[in-house]
């Protein structure tokens, strides 16, 4: 039985077994962008995805707010990188990548914070995060992405236990 684990590794595996080429790949064929994407997929995972549950499950308000600030800091770092690309995705020329797909499922769920933790947990609409918000608006509206998103109300019901 062959199994592949961890979403970031699975994305690379899919590229290899599908023999995708050019913009159909999720990991760039260009060695520079390949290396950069691997680094940033891991960084985004640590700074913007792992902190999600910290915001939800921490009982202490100070600890919860620390997790949220770490998340916003991670989004700010990501936003700075996006501002340097030709956009609107992490890779040049709008190529959807492993970095985009690492962050997207979590970014989609950030609305949960405001619902269950209040307005202090809304992702800010600041100049520092402008590129992030443009990225989000672009990626969330791709047909290939829209087809995969869970219903927000059902997800809120599911996550309410936290």
């Amino acid at each position: 039985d062959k199994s592949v684990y961890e979403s970031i590794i699975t994305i690379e595996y899919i590229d290899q077994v599908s023999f995708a080429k050019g913009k159909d790949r999720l990991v760039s064929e260009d060695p520079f962008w390949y290396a950069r994407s691997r680094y940033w997929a891991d960084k985004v995972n640590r700074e913007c995805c792992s902190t999600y549950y910290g915001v939800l499950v921490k009982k202490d308000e100070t600890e919860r707010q620390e997790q949220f600030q770490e998340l916003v800091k991670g989004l700010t770092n990501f936003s700075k990188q996006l501002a340097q690309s030709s956009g609107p995705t992490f890779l040049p020329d709008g190529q959807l990548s492993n970095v985009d797909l690492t962050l997207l499922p979590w970014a989609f769920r950030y609305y949960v914070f405001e619902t269950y933790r209040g307005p202090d947990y809304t992702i800010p609409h600041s100049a520092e995060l402008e590129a992030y918000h443009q990225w989000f608006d672009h990626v969330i509206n791709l047909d290939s992405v829209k087809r995969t998103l869970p219903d927000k109300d059902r997800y809120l019901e599911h996550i309410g236990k936290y």
Side-chain angles (χ1 to χ4, degrees):
D1 181 31
K2 292 183 177 180
S3 300
V4 178
Y5 302 96
E6 299 295 329
S7 57
I8 297 171
I9 294 168
T10 302
I11 290 169
E12 288 190 38
Y13 175 78
I14 289 168
D15 263 0
Q16 291 175 1
V17 299
S18 71
F19 302 105
K21 298 289 180 204
K23 282 188 150 188
D24 290 335
R25 291 184 55 84
L26 298 172
V27 181
S28 180
E29 293 173 306
D30 177 277
F32 171 77
W33 284 106
Y34 175 83
R36 192 168 176 80
S37 294
R38 287 198 67 192
Y39 171 81
W40 275 95
D42 181 62
K43 184 173 178 65
V44 162
N45 188 47
R46 281 183 282 110
E47 295 180 0
C48 305
C49 305
S50 296
T51 51
Y52 173 84
Y53 283 106
V55 175
L56 286 181
V57 301
K58 297 285 183 186
K59 300 292 183 199
D60 181 75
E61 179 64 24
T62 302
E63 290 178 2
R64 188 181 308 142
Q65 192 55 237
E66 286 172 0
Q67 289 290 294
F68 183 72
Q69 293 309 317
E70 284 298 311
L71 187 152
V72 171
K73 181 180 171 186
L75 289 177
T76 301
N77 291 334
F78 176 67
S79 193
K80 288 176 185 174
Q81 292 304 305
L82 288 173
Q84 294 176 16
S85 98
S86 61
T89 54
F90 183 82
L91 289 178
D93 305 319
Q95 180 178 347
L96 199 62
S97 74
N98 58 337
V99 180
D100 303 305
L101 296 179
T102 297
L103 180 55
L104 177 64
W106 304 103
F108 172 74
R109 292 171 173 89
Y110 291 160
Y111 72 94
V112 168
F113 298 150
E114 186 174 5
T115 302
Y116 287 114
R117 297 296 178 237
D120 289 344
Y121 291 90
T122 302
I123 303 300
H125 280 273
S126 62
E128 289 181 315
L129 291 173
E130 183 177 344
Y132 160 76
H133 287 290
Q134 289 173 353
W135 166 86
F136 182 80
D137 291 342
H138 171 77
V139 174
I140 206 76
N141 284 299
L142 294 171
D143 287 336
S144 58
V145 169
K146 286 194 283 191
R147 291 190 308 259
T148 67
L149 298 174
D151 177 78
K152 284 186 170 185
D153 291 332
R154 286 184 66 207
Y155 187 72
L156 281 173
E157 186 178 313
H158 164 75
I159 207 74
K161 62 187 172 193
Y162 291 102

PDB file of all heavy atoms in Angstrom, residues 122-142:
ATOM      1  N   THR A 122     -10.272  40.117  13.787  1.00  0.00           N
ATOM      2  CA  THR A 122     -10.460  40.281  12.352  1.00  0.00           C
ATOM      3  C   THR A 122      -9.106  40.567  11.710  1.00  0.00           C
ATOM      4  O   THR A 122      -8.329  41.368  12.236  1.00  0.00           O
ATOM      5  CB  THR A 122     -11.420  41.459  12.069  1.00  0.00           C
ATOM      6  OG1 THR A 122     -12.662  41.206  12.733  1.00  0.00           O
ATOM      7  CG2 THR A 122     -11.659  41.657  10.586  1.00  0.00           C
ATOM      8  N   ILE A 123      -8.825  39.912  10.589  1.00  0.00           N
ATOM      9  CA  ILE A 123      -7.578  40.185   9.875  1.00  0.00           C
ATOM     10  C   ILE A 123      -7.636  41.639   9.408  1.00  0.00           C
ATOM     11  O   ILE A 123      -8.573  42.035   8.719  1.00  0.00           O
ATOM     12  CB  ILE A 123      -7.398  39.246   8.666  1.00  0.00           C
ATOM     13  CG1 ILE A 123      -7.439  37.772   9.086  1.00  0.00           C
ATOM     14  CG2 ILE A 123      -6.106  39.579   7.912  1.00  0.00           C
ATOM     15  CD1 ILE A 123      -6.382  37.346  10.075  1.00  0.00           C
ATOM     16  N   PRO A 124      -6.668  42.460   9.811  1.00  0.00           N
ATOM     17  CA  PRO A 124      -6.722  43.897   9.494  1.00  0.00           C
ATOM     18  C   PRO A 124      -6.654  44.178   7.990  1.00  0.00           C
ATOM     19  O   PRO A 124      -6.028  43.439   7.235  1.00  0.00           O
ATOM     20  CB  PRO A 124      -5.486  44.473  10.182  1.00  0.00           C
ATOM     21  CG  PRO A 124      -4.952  43.415  11.070  1.00  0.00           C
ATOM     22  CD  PRO A 124      -5.477  42.111  10.582  1.00  0.00           C
ATOM     23  N   HIS A 125      -7.302  45.237   7.593  1.00  0.00           N
ATOM     24  CA  HIS A 125      -7.194  45.741   6.217  1.00  0.00           C
ATOM     25  C   HIS A 125      -6.256  46.947   6.269  1.00  0.00           C
ATOM     26  O   HIS A 125      -6.697  48.086   6.224  1.00  0.00           O
ATOM     27  CB  HIS A 125      -8.571  46.121   5.671  1.00  0.00           C
ATOM     28  CG  HIS A 125      -9.348  44.945   5.206  1.00  0.00           C
ATOM     29  ND1 HIS A 125      -9.242  44.437   3.933  1.00  0.00           N
ATOM     30  CD2 HIS A 125     -10.209  44.142   5.862  1.00  0.00           C
ATOM     31  CE1 HIS A 125     -10.017  43.386   3.815  1.00  0.00           C
ATOM     32  NE2 HIS A 125     -10.620  43.180   4.976  1.00  0.00           N
ATOM     33  N   SER A 126      -4.969  46.657   6.365  1.00  0.00           N
ATOM     34  CA  SER A 126      -3.948  47.698   6.469  1.00  0.00           C
ATOM     35  C   SER A 126      -3.119  47.719   5.194  1.00  0.00           C
ATOM     36  O   SER A 126      -3.157  46.788   4.389  1.00  0.00           O
ATOM     37  CB  SER A 126      -3.045  47.406   7.667  1.00  0.00           C
ATOM     38  OG  SER A 126      -2.373  46.177   7.480  1.00  0.00           O
ATOM     39  N   ALA A 127      -2.330  48.766   5.045  1.00  0.00           N
ATOM     40  CA  ALA A 127      -1.443  48.880   3.887  1.00  0.00           C
ATOM     41  C   ALA A 127      -0.467  47.703   3.843  1.00  0.00           C
ATOM     42  O   ALA A 127      -0.160  47.183   2.767  1.00  0.00           O
ATOM     43  CB  ALA A 127      -0.694  50.208   3.928  1.00  0.00           C
ATOM     44  N   GLU A 128      -0.005  47.265   5.017  1.00  0.00           N
ATOM     45  CA  GLU A 128       0.932  46.142   5.081  1.00  0.00           C
ATOM     46  C   GLU A 128       0.331  44.847   4.545  1.00  0.00           C
ATOM     47  O   GLU A 128       1.052  43.978   4.077  1.00  0.00           O
ATOM     48  CB  GLU A 128       1.377  45.896   6.527  1.00  0.00           C
ATOM     49  CG  GLU A 128       2.286  46.937   7.093  1.00  0.00           C
ATOM     50  CD  GLU A 128       2.678  46.581   8.516  1.00  0.00           C
ATOM     51  OE1 GLU A 128       1.787  46.188   9.314  1.00  0.00           O
ATOM     52  OE2 GLU A 128       3.869  46.694   8.825  1.00  0.00           O
ATOM     53  N   LEU A 129      -0.983  44.732   4.637  1.00  0.00           N
ATOM     54  CA  LEU A 129      -1.651  43.503   4.214  1.00  0.00           C
ATOM     55  C   LEU A 129      -2.419  43.658   2.905  1.00  0.00           C
ATOM     56  O   LEU A 129      -3.182  42.765   2.519  1.00  0.00           O
ATOM     57  CB  LEU A 129      -2.597  43.015   5.325  1.00  0.00           C
ATOM     58  CG  LEU A 129      -1.905  42.493   6.583  1.00  0.00           C
ATOM     59  CD1 LEU A 129      -2.919  42.199   7.673  1.00  0.00           C
ATOM     60  CD2 LEU A 129      -1.062  41.279   6.276  1.00  0.00           C
ATOM     61  N   GLU A 130      -2.204  44.759   2.211  1.00  0.00           N
ATOM     62  CA  GLU A 130      -2.927  44.995   0.963  1.00  0.00           C
ATOM     63  C   GLU A 130      -2.672  43.884  -0.061  1.00  0.00           C
ATOM     64  O   GLU A 130      -3.599  43.368  -0.683  1.00  0.00           O
ATOM     65  CB  GLU A 130      -2.551  46.347   0.369  1.00  0.00           C
ATOM     66  CG  GLU A 130      -3.329  46.671  -0.889  1.00  0.00           C
ATOM     67  CD  GLU A 130      -2.998  48.046  -1.434  1.00  0.00           C
ATOM     68  OE1 GLU A 130      -2.412  48.874  -0.722  1.00  0.00           O
ATOM     69  OE2 GLU A 130      -3.341  48.272  -2.606  1.00  0.00           O
ATOM     70  N   ALA A 131      -1.419  43.500  -0.239  1.00  0.00           N
ATOM     71  CA  ALA A 131      -1.092  42.445  -1.209  1.00  0.00           C
ATOM     72  C   ALA A 131      -1.735  41.118  -0.796  1.00  0.00           C
ATOM     73  O   ALA A 131      -2.217  40.373  -1.649  1.00  0.00           O
ATOM     74  CB  ALA A 131       0.418  42.298  -1.356  1.00  0.00           C
ATOM     75  N   TYR A 132      -1.743  40.828   0.518  1.00  0.00           N
ATOM     76  CA  TYR A 132      -2.406  39.613   1.001  1.00  0.00           C
ATOM     77  C   TYR A 132      -3.885  39.636   0.630  1.00  0.00           C
ATOM     78  O   TYR A 132      -4.412  38.642   0.117  1.00  0.00           O
ATOM     79  CB  TYR A 132      -2.251  39.444   2.518  1.00  0.00           C
ATOM     80  CG  TYR A 132      -3.287  38.508   3.089  1.00  0.00           C
ATOM     81  CD1 TYR A 132      -3.166  37.130   2.916  1.00  0.00           C
ATOM     82  CD2 TYR A 132      -4.413  39.000   3.745  1.00  0.00           C
ATOM     83  CE1 TYR A 132      -4.138  36.268   3.401  1.00  0.00           C
ATOM     84  CE2 TYR A 132      -5.382  38.142   4.232  1.00  0.00           C
ATOM     85  CZ  TYR A 132      -5.245  36.780   4.052  1.00  0.00           C
ATOM     86  OH  TYR A 132      -6.216  35.920   4.527  1.00  0.00           O
ATOM     87  N   HIS A 133      -4.580  40.736   0.886  1.00  0.00           N
ATOM     88  CA  HIS A 133      -6.020  40.814   0.594  1.00  0.00           C
ATOM     89  C   HIS A 133      -6.286  40.724  -0.910  1.00  0.00           C
ATOM     90  O   HIS A 133      -7.266  40.087  -1.324  1.00  0.00           O
ATOM     91  CB  HIS A 133      -6.629  42.073   1.205  1.00  0.00           C
ATOM     92  CG  HIS A 133      -6.770  41.990   2.693  1.00  0.00           C
ATOM     93  ND1 HIS A 133      -7.680  41.164   3.308  1.00  0.00           N
ATOM     94  CD2 HIS A 133      -6.096  42.615   3.693  1.00  0.00           C
ATOM     95  CE1 HIS A 133      -7.573  41.280   4.616  1.00  0.00           C
ATOM     96  NE2 HIS A 133      -6.615  42.158   4.883  1.00  0.00           N
ATOM     97  N   GLN A 134      -5.426  41.300  -1.722  1.00  0.00           N
ATOM     98  CA  GLN A 134      -5.577  41.167  -3.178  1.00  0.00           C
ATOM     99  C   GLN A 134      -5.375  39.716  -3.597  1.00  0.00           C
ATOM    100  O   GLN A 134      -6.111  39.193  -4.443  1.00  0.00           O
ATOM    101  CB  GLN A 134      -4.588  42.085  -3.907  1.00  0.00           C
ATOM    102  CG  GLN A 134      -4.934  43.548  -3.786  1.00  0.00           C
ATOM    103  CD  GLN A 134      -3.854  44.453  -4.367  1.00  0.00           C
ATOM    104  OE1 GLN A 134      -2.774  44.016  -4.747  1.00  0.00           O
ATOM    105  NE2 GLN A 134      -4.155  45.746  -4.425  1.00  0.00           N
ATOM    106  N   TRP A 135      -4.382  39.083  -3.015  1.00  0.00           N
ATOM    107  CA  TRP A 135      -4.133  37.665  -3.281  1.00  0.00           C
ATOM    108  C   TRP A 135      -5.364  36.847  -2.912  1.00  0.00           C
ATOM    109  O   TRP A 135      -5.839  36.032  -3.704  1.00  0.00           O
ATOM    110  CB  TRP A 135      -2.910  37.187  -2.478  1.00  0.00           C
ATOM    111  CG  TRP A 135      -2.773  35.699  -2.420  1.00  0.00           C
ATOM    112  CD1 TRP A 135      -2.152  34.907  -3.339  1.00  0.00           C
ATOM    113  CD2 TRP A 135      -3.273  34.830  -1.405  1.00  0.00           C
ATOM    114  NE1 TRP A 135      -2.243  33.591  -2.954  1.00  0.00           N
ATOM    115  CE2 TRP A 135      -2.927  33.520  -1.769  1.00  0.00           C
ATOM    116  CE3 TRP A 135      -3.987  35.032  -0.225  1.00  0.00           C
ATOM    117  CZ2 TRP A 135      -3.262  32.407  -0.995  1.00  0.00           C
ATOM    118  CZ3 TRP A 135      -4.327  33.930   0.544  1.00  0.00           C
ATOM    119  CH2 TRP A 135      -3.966  32.635   0.163  1.00  0.00           C
ATOM    120  N   PHE A 136      -5.871  37.062  -1.705  1.00  0.00           N
ATOM    121  CA  PHE A 136      -7.024  36.303  -1.225  1.00  0.00           C
ATOM    122  C   PHE A 136      -8.219  36.484  -2.153  1.00  0.00           C
ATOM    123  O   PHE A 136      -8.853  35.503  -2.559  1.00  0.00           O
ATOM    124  CB  PHE A 136      -7.382  36.716   0.210  1.00  0.00           C
ATOM    125  CG  PHE A 136      -8.535  35.931   0.769  1.00  0.00           C
ATOM    126  CD1 PHE A 136      -8.336  34.652   1.263  1.00  0.00           C
ATOM    127  CD2 PHE A 136      -9.809  36.464   0.782  1.00  0.00           C
ATOM    128  CE1 PHE A 136      -9.397  33.915   1.767  1.00  0.00           C
ATOM    129  CE2 PHE A 136     -10.880  35.740   1.288  1.00  0.00           C
ATOM    130  CZ  PHE A 136     -10.670  34.458   1.784  1.00  0.00           C
ATOM    131  N   ASP A 137      -8.535  37.722  -2.488  1.00  0.00           N
ATOM    132  CA  ASP A 137      -9.670  37.990  -3.380  1.00  0.00           C
ATOM    133  C   ASP A 137      -9.500  37.297  -4.731  1.00  0.00           C
ATOM    134  O   ASP A 137     -10.468  36.787  -5.292  1.00  0.00           O
ATOM    135  CB  ASP A 137      -9.866  39.498  -3.577  1.00  0.00           C
ATOM    136  CG  ASP A 137     -10.351  40.193  -2.319  1.00  0.00           C
ATOM    137  OD1 ASP A 137     -10.855  39.510  -1.401  1.00  0.00           O
ATOM    138  OD2 ASP A 137     -10.215  41.429  -2.248  1.00  0.00           O
ATOM    139  N   HIS A 138      -8.285  37.277  -5.236  1.00  0.00           N
ATOM    140  CA  HIS A 138      -8.042  36.614  -6.519  1.00  0.00           C
ATOM    141  C   HIS A 138      -8.210  35.098  -6.402  1.00  0.00           C
ATOM    142  O   HIS A 138      -8.959  34.483  -7.163  1.00  0.00           O
ATOM    143  CB  HIS A 138      -6.637  36.947  -7.040  1.00  0.00           C
ATOM    144  CG  HIS A 138      -6.257  36.132  -8.227  1.00  0.00           C
ATOM    145  ND1 HIS A 138      -6.744  36.392  -9.493  1.00  0.00           N
ATOM    146  CD2 HIS A 138      -5.448  35.038  -8.345  1.00  0.00           C
ATOM    147  CE1 HIS A 138      -6.259  35.495 -10.337  1.00  0.00           C
ATOM    148  NE2 HIS A 138      -5.468  34.670  -9.664  1.00  0.00           N
ATOM    149  N   VAL A 139      -7.502  34.504  -5.458  1.00  0.00           N
ATOM    150  CA  VAL A 139      -7.459  33.044  -5.364  1.00  0.00           C
ATOM    151  C   VAL A 139      -8.816  32.475  -4.961  1.00  0.00           C
ATOM    152  O   VAL A 139      -9.253  31.459  -5.504  1.00  0.00           O
ATOM    153  CB  VAL A 139      -6.335  32.599  -4.399  1.00  0.00           C
ATOM    154  CG1 VAL A 139      -6.354  31.106  -4.172  1.00  0.00           C
ATOM    155  CG2 VAL A 139      -4.980  33.030  -4.931  1.00  0.00           C
ATOM    156  N   ILE A 140      -9.504  33.130  -4.062  1.00  0.00           N
ATOM    157  CA  ILE A 140     -10.791  32.619  -3.582  1.00  0.00           C
ATOM    158  C   ILE A 140     -11.846  32.628  -4.684  1.00  0.00           C
ATOM    159  O   ILE A 140     -12.831  31.894  -4.625  1.00  0.00           O
ATOM    160  CB  ILE A 140     -11.270  33.412  -2.328  1.00  0.00           C
ATOM    161  CG1 ILE A 140     -12.191  32.565  -1.472  1.00  0.00           C
ATOM    162  CG2 ILE A 140     -11.956  34.694  -2.693  1.00  0.00           C
ATOM    163  CD1 ILE A 140     -11.488  31.548  -0.665  1.00  0.00           C
ATOM    164  N   ASN A 141     -11.641  33.437  -5.711  1.00  0.00           N
ATOM    165  CA  ASN A 141     -12.601  33.536  -6.809  1.00  0.00           C
ATOM    166  C   ASN A 141     -12.244  32.702  -8.034  1.00  0.00           C
ATOM    167  O   ASN A 141     -12.948  32.752  -9.042  1.00  0.00           O
ATOM    168  CB  ASN A 141     -12.805  35.004  -7.201  1.00  0.00           C
ATOM    169  CG  ASN A 141     -13.674  35.701  -6.174  1.00  0.00           C
ATOM    170  OD1 ASN A 141     -14.813  35.324  -5.957  1.00  0.00           O
ATOM    171  ND2 ASN A 141     -13.110  36.701  -5.519  1.00  0.00           N
ATOM    172  N   LEU A 142     -11.168  31.941  -7.961  1.00  0.00           N
ATOM    173  CA  LEU A 142     -10.841  31.023  -9.052  1.00  0.00           C
ATOM    174  C   LEU A 142     -11.873  29.891  -9.064  1.00  0.00           C
ATOM    175  O   LEU A 142     -12.207  29.343  -8.005  1.00  0.00           O
ATOM    176  CB  LEU A 142      -9.440  30.445  -8.873  1.00  0.00           C
ATOM    177  CG  LEU A 142      -8.278  31.425  -8.978  1.00  0.00           C
ATOM    178  CD1 LEU A 142      -6.968  30.748  -8.559  1.00  0.00           C
ATOM    179  CD2 LEU A 142      -8.170  31.966 -10.402  1.00  0.00           C
TER     180      LEU A 142
END
